[in-house]
């Protein structure tokens, strides 16, 4: 029982929040902080850097 309370953040299979550049960009677009044009332009730059 103690293990459940002592190690709540190290549970196998637990999802961790994503903080990649693309994830942040998608959240900004979804919240309305940037326009579709800004999103697409930034996305193209990020994807170009990945490949």
């Amino acid at each position: 029982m103690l293990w459940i309370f002592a190690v709540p953040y190290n549970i196998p299979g637990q999802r961790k929040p994503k903080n990649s550049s693309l994830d942040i960009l998608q959240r900004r677009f979804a919240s309305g902080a940037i326009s579709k044009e800004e999103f697409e332009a930034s996305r193209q730059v990020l994807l170009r850097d990945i490949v």
Side-chain angles (χ1 to χ4, degrees):
M1 210 48 167
L2 179 62
W3 178 82
I4 293 172
F5 297 107
V7 193
Y9 298 106
N10 293 330
I11 298 171
Q14 180 181 3
R15 289 184 160 187
K16 298 190 188 266
K18 295 181 180 180
N19 289 320
S20 73
S21 300
L22 189 56
D23 294 323
I24 294 167
L25 182 64
Q26 289 172 334
R27 280 197 299 266
R28 290 185 65 209
F29 177 62
S31 71
I34 59 174
S35 69
K36 181 178 180 178
E37 292 78 19
E38 291 171 312
F39 172 77
E40 290 296 331
S42 297
R43 183 176 168 271
Q44 289 301 318
V45 170
L46 290 174
L47 294 178
R48 188 173 340 146
D49 290 343
I50 293 173
V51 177

Short mmCIF file of all heavy atoms in Angstrom, two decimals:
data_model
loop_
_atom_site.label_atom_id
_atom_site.label_comp_id
_atom_site.label_asym_id
_atom_site.label_seq_id
_atom_site.Cartn_x
_atom_site.Cartn_y
_atom_site.Cartn_z
N MET A 1 0.83 -1.18 0.00
CA MET A 1 0.00 0.00 0.00
C MET A 1 0.88 1.26 0.00
O MET A 1 0.54 2.22 -0.63
CB MET A 1 -0.87 -0.05 1.25
CG MET A 1 -2.18 0.60 1.17
SD MET A 1 -3.17 0.19 -0.25
CE MET A 1 -4.66 0.84 0.31
N LEU A 2 1.97 1.22 0.69
CA LEU A 2 2.86 2.38 0.75
C LEU A 2 3.42 2.71 -0.62
O LEU A 2 3.56 3.88 -0.97
CB LEU A 2 4.00 2.10 1.73
CG LEU A 2 5.02 3.23 1.88
CD1 LEU A 2 4.36 4.49 2.41
CD2 LEU A 2 6.14 2.79 2.81
N TRP A 3 3.72 1.71 -1.44
CA TRP A 3 4.29 1.94 -2.77
C TRP A 3 3.38 2.82 -3.62
O TRP A 3 3.83 3.69 -4.34
CB TRP A 3 4.52 0.60 -3.48
CG TRP A 3 5.06 0.79 -4.87
CD1 TRP A 3 6.35 1.02 -5.22
CD2 TRP A 3 4.32 0.79 -6.09
NE1 TRP A 3 6.47 1.15 -6.58
CE2 TRP A 3 5.22 1.02 -7.14
CE3 TRP A 3 2.98 0.63 -6.40
CZ2 TRP A 3 4.83 1.08 -8.46
CZ3 TRP A 3 2.61 0.69 -7.73
CH2 TRP A 3 3.52 0.91 -8.74
N ILE A 4 2.07 2.63 -3.53
CA ILE A 4 1.12 3.41 -4.33
C ILE A 4 1.23 4.89 -4.00
O ILE A 4 1.20 5.74 -4.89
CB ILE A 4 -0.32 2.91 -4.09
CG1 ILE A 4 -0.47 1.50 -4.63
CG2 ILE A 4 -1.33 3.85 -4.72
CD1 ILE A 4 -1.77 0.84 -4.28
N PHE A 5 1.42 5.23 -2.76
CA PHE A 5 1.51 6.63 -2.36
C PHE A 5 2.92 7.18 -2.46
O PHE A 5 3.11 8.37 -2.65
CB PHE A 5 0.98 6.80 -0.93
CG PHE A 5 -0.47 6.44 -0.81
CD1 PHE A 5 -0.86 5.28 -0.18
CD2 PHE A 5 -1.45 7.25 -1.38
CE1 PHE A 5 -2.19 4.94 -0.08
CE2 PHE A 5 -2.78 6.92 -1.29
CZ PHE A 5 -3.17 5.76 -0.64
N ALA A 6 3.90 6.33 -2.36
CA ALA A 6 5.29 6.78 -2.37
C ALA A 6 5.80 7.05 -3.78
O ALA A 6 6.66 7.91 -3.99
CB ALA A 6 6.19 5.75 -1.69
N VAL A 7 5.28 6.36 -4.78
CA VAL A 7 5.80 6.48 -6.14
C VAL A 7 4.66 6.72 -7.15
O VAL A 7 4.54 6.01 -8.13
CB VAL A 7 6.58 5.20 -6.52
CG1 VAL A 7 7.39 5.43 -7.79
CG2 VAL A 7 7.49 4.74 -5.40
N PRO A 8 3.85 7.75 -6.95
CA PRO A 8 2.72 7.92 -7.87
C PRO A 8 3.13 8.38 -9.26
O PRO A 8 2.37 8.24 -10.20
CB PRO A 8 1.87 8.99 -7.18
CG PRO A 8 2.85 9.75 -6.35
CD PRO A 8 3.87 8.72 -5.90
N TYR A 9 4.32 8.92 -9.42
CA TYR A 9 4.72 9.45 -10.71
C TYR A 9 5.55 8.47 -11.54
O TYR A 9 5.91 8.79 -12.65
CB TYR A 9 5.49 10.76 -10.53
CG TYR A 9 4.64 11.81 -9.88
CD1 TYR A 9 4.84 12.16 -8.55
CD2 TYR A 9 3.62 12.43 -10.57
CE1 TYR A 9 4.04 13.12 -7.95
CE2 TYR A 9 2.82 13.38 -9.99
CZ TYR A 9 3.04 13.73 -8.67
OH TYR A 9 2.26 14.67 -8.07
N ASN A 10 5.86 7.32 -11.02
CA ASN A 10 6.68 6.35 -11.75
C ASN A 10 5.90 5.10 -12.11
O ASN A 10 6.46 4.03 -12.18
CB ASN A 10 7.90 5.98 -10.91
CG ASN A 10 8.84 7.14 -10.76
OD1 ASN A 10 8.92 7.99 -11.64
ND2 ASN A 10 9.54 7.20 -9.65
N ILE A 11 4.63 5.23 -12.33
CA ILE A 11 3.80 4.08 -12.68
C ILE A 11 4.08 3.70 -14.13
O ILE A 11 4.01 4.55 -15.02
CB ILE A 11 2.31 4.41 -12.48
CG1 ILE A 11 2.05 4.74 -11.02
CG2 ILE A 11 1.44 3.24 -12.96
CD1 ILE A 11 0.66 5.28 -10.76
N PRO A 12 4.41 2.44 -14.41
CA PRO A 12 4.69 2.03 -15.79
C PRO A 12 3.48 2.27 -16.70
O PRO A 12 2.34 2.05 -16.32
CB PRO A 12 4.97 0.53 -15.67
CG PRO A 12 5.33 0.33 -14.25
CD PRO A 12 4.58 1.37 -13.46
N GLY A 13 3.75 2.77 -17.90
CA GLY A 13 2.69 3.01 -18.87
C GLY A 13 1.98 4.33 -18.70
O GLY A 13 1.07 4.65 -19.45
N GLN A 14 2.37 5.11 -17.70
CA GLN A 14 1.72 6.40 -17.48
C GLN A 14 2.11 7.37 -18.59
O GLN A 14 3.27 7.46 -18.96
CB GLN A 14 2.15 6.95 -16.12
CG GLN A 14 1.53 8.29 -15.77
CD GLN A 14 2.01 8.80 -14.43
OE1 GLN A 14 2.82 8.18 -13.78
NE2 GLN A 14 1.50 9.92 -14.02
N ARG A 15 1.15 8.09 -19.11
CA ARG A 15 1.43 9.07 -20.16
C ARG A 15 2.07 10.31 -19.55
O ARG A 15 1.67 10.77 -18.50
CB ARG A 15 0.15 9.48 -20.87
CG ARG A 15 -0.40 8.41 -21.73
CD ARG A 15 -1.59 8.95 -22.45
NE ARG A 15 -1.85 8.14 -23.61
CZ ARG A 15 -2.73 8.42 -24.52
NH1 ARG A 15 -3.46 9.49 -24.41
NH2 ARG A 15 -2.92 7.63 -25.55
N LYS A 16 3.04 10.82 -20.24
CA LYS A 16 3.69 12.04 -19.80
C LYS A 16 3.31 13.16 -20.77
O LYS A 16 3.11 12.93 -21.94
CB LYS A 16 5.20 11.87 -19.78
CG LYS A 16 5.64 10.78 -18.81
CD LYS A 16 7.12 10.80 -18.63
CE LYS A 16 7.54 9.60 -17.82
NZ LYS A 16 7.66 9.78 -16.45
N PRO A 17 3.20 14.39 -20.26
CA PRO A 17 2.84 15.49 -21.15
C PRO A 17 3.92 15.73 -22.19
O PRO A 17 5.11 15.60 -21.90
CB PRO A 17 2.71 16.69 -20.21
CG PRO A 17 3.42 16.31 -18.97
CD PRO A 17 3.40 14.82 -18.89
N LYS A 18 3.50 16.05 -23.41
CA LYS A 18 4.44 16.31 -24.48
C LYS A 18 4.78 17.79 -24.50
O LYS A 18 3.91 18.63 -24.33
CB LYS A 18 3.84 15.90 -25.82
CG LYS A 18 3.58 14.42 -25.94
CD LYS A 18 3.00 14.11 -27.29
CE LYS A 18 2.73 12.63 -27.44
NZ LYS A 18 2.17 12.31 -28.75
N ASN A 19 6.03 18.09 -24.74
CA ASN A 19 6.46 19.48 -24.80
C ASN A 19 7.35 19.72 -26.00
O ASN A 19 8.21 20.59 -25.95
CB ASN A 19 7.18 19.87 -23.51
CG ASN A 19 6.23 19.98 -22.34
OD1 ASN A 19 5.12 20.49 -22.49
ND2 ASN A 19 6.63 19.49 -21.20
N SER A 20 7.16 18.98 -27.08
CA SER A 20 7.96 19.22 -28.27
C SER A 20 7.52 20.53 -28.89
O SER A 20 6.44 21.06 -28.60
CB SER A 20 7.81 18.08 -29.27
OG SER A 20 6.55 18.15 -29.89
N SER A 21 8.31 21.05 -29.78
CA SER A 21 7.99 22.31 -30.45
C SER A 21 6.67 22.21 -31.20
O SER A 21 5.85 23.14 -31.17
CB SER A 21 9.11 22.69 -31.42
OG SER A 21 10.31 22.84 -30.73
N LEU A 22 6.45 21.09 -31.87
CA LEU A 22 5.21 20.91 -32.62
C LEU A 22 4.00 20.83 -31.69
O LEU A 22 2.94 21.39 -31.99
CB LEU A 22 5.30 19.66 -33.50
CG LEU A 22 4.17 19.45 -34.50
CD1 LEU A 22 4.01 20.66 -35.42
CD2 LEU A 22 4.42 18.20 -35.32
N ASP A 23 4.14 20.17 -30.55
CA ASP A 23 3.05 20.09 -29.58
C ASP A 23 2.69 21.48 -29.05
O ASP A 23 1.51 21.82 -28.92
CB ASP A 23 3.42 19.18 -28.41
CG ASP A 23 3.59 17.74 -28.82
OD1 ASP A 23 2.82 17.28 -29.69
OD2 ASP A 23 4.50 17.09 -28.29
N ILE A 24 3.69 22.27 -28.75
CA ILE A 24 3.46 23.63 -28.26
C ILE A 24 2.77 24.46 -29.33
O ILE A 24 1.81 25.20 -29.05
CB ILE A 24 4.78 24.28 -27.82
CG1 ILE A 24 5.33 23.55 -26.59
CG2 ILE A 24 4.59 25.76 -27.53
CD1 ILE A 24 6.76 23.90 -26.25
N LEU A 25 3.21 24.33 -30.58
CA LEU A 25 2.61 25.05 -31.69
C LEU A 25 1.14 24.66 -31.85
O LEU A 25 0.27 25.52 -32.03
CB LEU A 25 3.38 24.77 -32.98
CG LEU A 25 2.90 25.49 -34.23
CD1 LEU A 25 3.05 26.99 -34.09
CD2 LEU A 25 3.66 24.99 -35.45
N GLN A 26 0.85 23.36 -31.77
CA GLN A 26 -0.53 22.90 -31.90
C GLN A 26 -1.41 23.43 -30.78
O GLN A 26 -2.56 23.81 -31.01
CB GLN A 26 -0.57 21.37 -31.92
CG GLN A 26 -0.01 20.79 -33.19
CD GLN A 26 0.14 19.28 -33.15
OE1 GLN A 26 0.29 18.68 -32.09
NE2 GLN A 26 0.11 18.66 -34.32
N ARG A 27 -0.88 23.50 -29.56
CA ARG A 27 -1.66 24.05 -28.44
C ARG A 27 -1.93 25.53 -28.64
O ARG A 27 -3.03 26.01 -28.35
CB ARG A 27 -0.92 23.82 -27.12
CG ARG A 27 -1.10 22.41 -26.59
CD ARG A 27 -0.72 22.32 -25.12
NE ARG A 27 0.67 22.68 -24.89
CZ ARG A 27 1.67 21.80 -24.82
NH1 ARG A 27 1.43 20.53 -24.99
NH2 ARG A 27 2.89 22.21 -24.60
N ARG A 28 -0.94 26.27 -29.15
CA ARG A 28 -1.13 27.71 -29.39
C ARG A 28 -2.20 27.94 -30.46
O ARG A 28 -3.03 28.83 -30.32
CB ARG A 28 0.18 28.36 -29.81
CG ARG A 28 1.19 28.42 -28.67
CD ARG A 28 2.43 29.17 -29.05
NE ARG A 28 2.09 30.56 -29.31
CZ ARG A 28 2.76 31.34 -30.15
NH1 ARG A 28 3.81 30.89 -30.79
NH2 ARG A 28 2.39 32.59 -30.33
N PHE A 29 -2.19 27.13 -31.50
CA PHE A 29 -3.20 27.24 -32.55
C PHE A 29 -4.58 26.90 -32.00
O PHE A 29 -5.57 27.61 -32.25
CB PHE A 29 -2.85 26.35 -33.74
CG PHE A 29 -3.87 26.37 -34.84
CD1 PHE A 29 -4.16 27.54 -35.52
CD2 PHE A 29 -4.54 25.22 -35.19
CE1 PHE A 29 -5.10 27.55 -36.54
CE2 PHE A 29 -5.48 25.22 -36.20
CZ PHE A 29 -5.77 26.39 -36.88
N ALA A 30 -4.66 25.82 -31.24
CA ALA A 30 -5.94 25.39 -30.68
C ALA A 30 -6.52 26.42 -29.72
O ALA A 30 -7.74 26.58 -29.64
CB ALA A 30 -5.77 24.05 -29.96
N SER A 31 -5.66 27.14 -29.02
CA SER A 31 -6.15 28.14 -28.07
C SER A 31 -6.49 29.47 -28.74
O SER A 31 -7.03 30.37 -28.10
CB SER A 31 -5.11 28.38 -26.97
OG SER A 31 -4.00 29.08 -27.49
N GLY A 32 -6.14 29.61 -30.03
CA GLY A 32 -6.44 30.84 -30.75
C GLY A 32 -5.36 31.90 -30.64
O GLY A 32 -5.55 33.04 -31.05
N ALA A 33 -4.22 31.53 -30.10
CA ALA A 33 -3.12 32.49 -29.93
C ALA A 33 -2.45 32.85 -31.26
O ALA A 33 -1.87 33.92 -31.38
CB ALA A 33 -2.08 31.94 -28.96
N ILE A 34 -2.54 31.94 -32.24
CA ILE A 34 -1.96 32.21 -33.56
C ILE A 34 -2.99 31.86 -34.63
O ILE A 34 -3.87 31.04 -34.41
CB ILE A 34 -0.64 31.43 -33.80
CG1 ILE A 34 -0.87 29.92 -33.69
CG2 ILE A 34 0.45 31.90 -32.85
CD1 ILE A 34 0.35 29.10 -34.05
N SER A 35 -2.85 32.48 -35.80
CA SER A 35 -3.77 32.22 -36.91
C SER A 35 -3.39 30.95 -37.65
O SER A 35 -2.30 30.38 -37.43
CB SER A 35 -3.74 33.40 -37.88
OG SER A 35 -2.49 33.44 -38.54
N LYS A 36 -4.26 30.53 -38.54
CA LYS A 36 -4.00 29.34 -39.34
C LYS A 36 -2.75 29.54 -40.21
O LYS A 36 -1.94 28.64 -40.35
CB LYS A 36 -5.20 29.00 -40.22
CG LYS A 36 -5.02 27.77 -41.06
CD LYS A 36 -6.24 27.45 -41.88
CE LYS A 36 -5.99 26.19 -42.70
NZ LYS A 36 -7.16 25.81 -43.49
N GLU A 37 -2.61 30.73 -40.76
CA GLU A 37 -1.45 31.03 -41.61
C GLU A 37 -0.15 30.96 -40.81
O GLU A 37 0.85 30.39 -41.27
CB GLU A 37 -1.59 32.41 -42.25
CG GLU A 37 -2.71 32.49 -43.28
CD GLU A 37 -4.10 32.61 -42.66
OE1 GLU A 37 -4.22 32.99 -41.47
OE2 GLU A 37 -5.07 32.29 -43.36
N GLU A 38 -0.16 31.52 -39.60
CA GLU A 38 1.03 31.46 -38.73
C GLU A 38 1.33 30.01 -38.35
O GLU A 38 2.49 29.60 -38.32
CB GLU A 38 0.82 32.30 -37.47
CG GLU A 38 0.77 33.78 -37.72
CD GLU A 38 0.36 34.56 -36.50
OE1 GLU A 38 -0.64 34.18 -35.86
OE2 GLU A 38 1.06 35.54 -36.18
N PHE A 39 0.28 29.25 -38.05
CA PHE A 39 0.45 27.85 -37.69
C PHE A 39 1.09 27.07 -38.83
O PHE A 39 2.07 26.35 -38.62
CB PHE A 39 -0.90 27.23 -37.31
CG PHE A 39 -0.83 25.74 -37.12
CD1 PHE A 39 -0.30 25.20 -35.95
CD2 PHE A 39 -1.29 24.87 -38.09
CE1 PHE A 39 -0.22 23.82 -35.77
CE2 PHE A 39 -1.22 23.50 -37.92
CZ PHE A 39 -0.68 22.98 -36.76
N GLU A 40 0.53 27.22 -40.04
CA GLU A 40 1.05 26.47 -41.18
C GLU A 40 2.49 26.85 -41.50
O GLU A 40 3.32 25.98 -41.78
CB GLU A 40 0.16 26.69 -42.41
CG GLU A 40 -1.21 26.04 -42.30
CD GLU A 40 -1.15 24.53 -42.22
OE1 GLU A 40 -0.21 23.91 -42.76
OE2 GLU A 40 -2.07 23.95 -41.62
N ALA A 41 2.80 28.14 -41.45
CA ALA A 41 4.17 28.59 -41.74
C ALA A 41 5.15 28.04 -40.71
O ALA A 41 6.22 27.52 -41.05
CB ALA A 41 4.23 30.11 -41.77
N SER A 42 4.78 28.13 -39.45
CA SER A 42 5.66 27.63 -38.38
C SER A 42 5.80 26.12 -38.45
O SER A 42 6.89 25.57 -38.23
CB SER A 42 5.11 28.04 -37.01
OG SER A 42 5.09 29.42 -36.89
N ARG A 43 4.70 25.43 -38.76
CA ARG A 43 4.72 23.97 -38.87
C ARG A 43 5.67 23.54 -39.99
O ARG A 43 6.44 22.59 -39.82
CB ARG A 43 3.31 23.47 -39.15
CG ARG A 43 3.18 21.98 -39.21
CD ARG A 43 1.71 21.60 -39.39
NE ARG A 43 1.58 20.22 -39.71
CZ ARG A 43 1.59 19.70 -40.95
NH1 ARG A 43 1.66 20.51 -41.98
NH2 ARG A 43 1.49 18.42 -41.14
N GLN A 44 5.62 24.23 -41.11
CA GLN A 44 6.51 23.89 -42.22
C GLN A 44 7.97 24.06 -41.82
O GLN A 44 8.82 23.23 -42.16
CB GLN A 44 6.20 24.75 -43.45
CG GLN A 44 4.89 24.39 -44.12
CD GLN A 44 4.85 22.95 -44.58
OE1 GLN A 44 5.83 22.42 -45.12
NE2 GLN A 44 3.72 22.30 -44.38
N VAL A 45 8.28 25.12 -41.09
CA VAL A 45 9.65 25.34 -40.62
C VAL A 45 10.09 24.21 -39.69
O VAL A 45 11.18 23.65 -39.83
CB VAL A 45 9.80 26.71 -39.92
CG1 VAL A 45 11.12 26.84 -39.23
CG2 VAL A 45 9.58 27.83 -40.93
N LEU A 46 9.22 23.85 -38.75
CA LEU A 46 9.56 22.79 -37.80
C LEU A 46 9.73 21.45 -38.51
O LEU A 46 10.68 20.71 -38.21
CB LEU A 46 8.48 22.66 -36.73
CG LEU A 46 8.40 23.82 -35.74
CD1 LEU A 46 7.19 23.63 -34.83
CD2 LEU A 46 9.67 23.93 -34.93
N LEU A 47 8.84 21.12 -39.43
CA LEU A 47 8.94 19.84 -40.12
C LEU A 47 10.15 19.80 -41.05
O LEU A 47 10.74 18.75 -41.25
CB LEU A 47 7.65 19.55 -40.88
CG LEU A 47 6.42 19.31 -40.00
CD1 LEU A 47 5.19 19.09 -40.87
CD2 LEU A 47 6.63 18.15 -39.06
N ARG A 48 10.51 20.92 -41.61
CA ARG A 48 11.68 20.98 -42.47
C ARG A 48 12.94 20.70 -41.65
O ARG A 48 13.87 20.05 -42.11
CB ARG A 48 11.79 22.37 -43.11
CG ARG A 48 12.84 22.48 -44.16
CD ARG A 48 12.81 23.80 -44.87
NE ARG A 48 11.51 24.47 -44.71
CZ ARG A 48 11.36 25.79 -44.63
NH1 ARG A 48 12.40 26.58 -44.70
NH2 ARG A 48 10.17 26.32 -44.47
N ASP A 49 12.96 21.19 -40.41
CA ASP A 49 14.12 20.98 -39.53
C ASP A 49 14.24 19.53 -39.08
O ASP A 49 15.31 19.03 -38.82
CB ASP A 49 14.05 21.90 -38.31
CG ASP A 49 14.29 23.36 -38.67
OD1 ASP A 49 14.81 23.63 -39.78
OD2 ASP A 49 13.94 24.22 -37.85
N ILE A 50 13.11 18.83 -38.99
CA ILE A 50 13.11 17.43 -38.54
C ILE A 50 13.66 16.52 -39.62
O ILE A 50 14.40 15.59 -39.35
CB ILE A 50 11.68 16.99 -38.13
CG1 ILE A 50 11.26 17.75 -36.88
CG2 ILE A 50 11.61 15.49 -37.89
CD1 ILE A 50 9.81 17.52 -36.49
N VAL A 51 13.31 16.76 -40.85
CA VAL A 51 13.70 15.88 -41.96
C VAL A 51 15.05 16.20 -42.45
O VAL A 51 15.93 16.70 -42.28
CB VAL A 51 12.72 16.01 -43.13
CG1 VAL A 51 13.15 15.17 -44.30
CG2 VAL A 51 11.35 15.61 -42.67
#
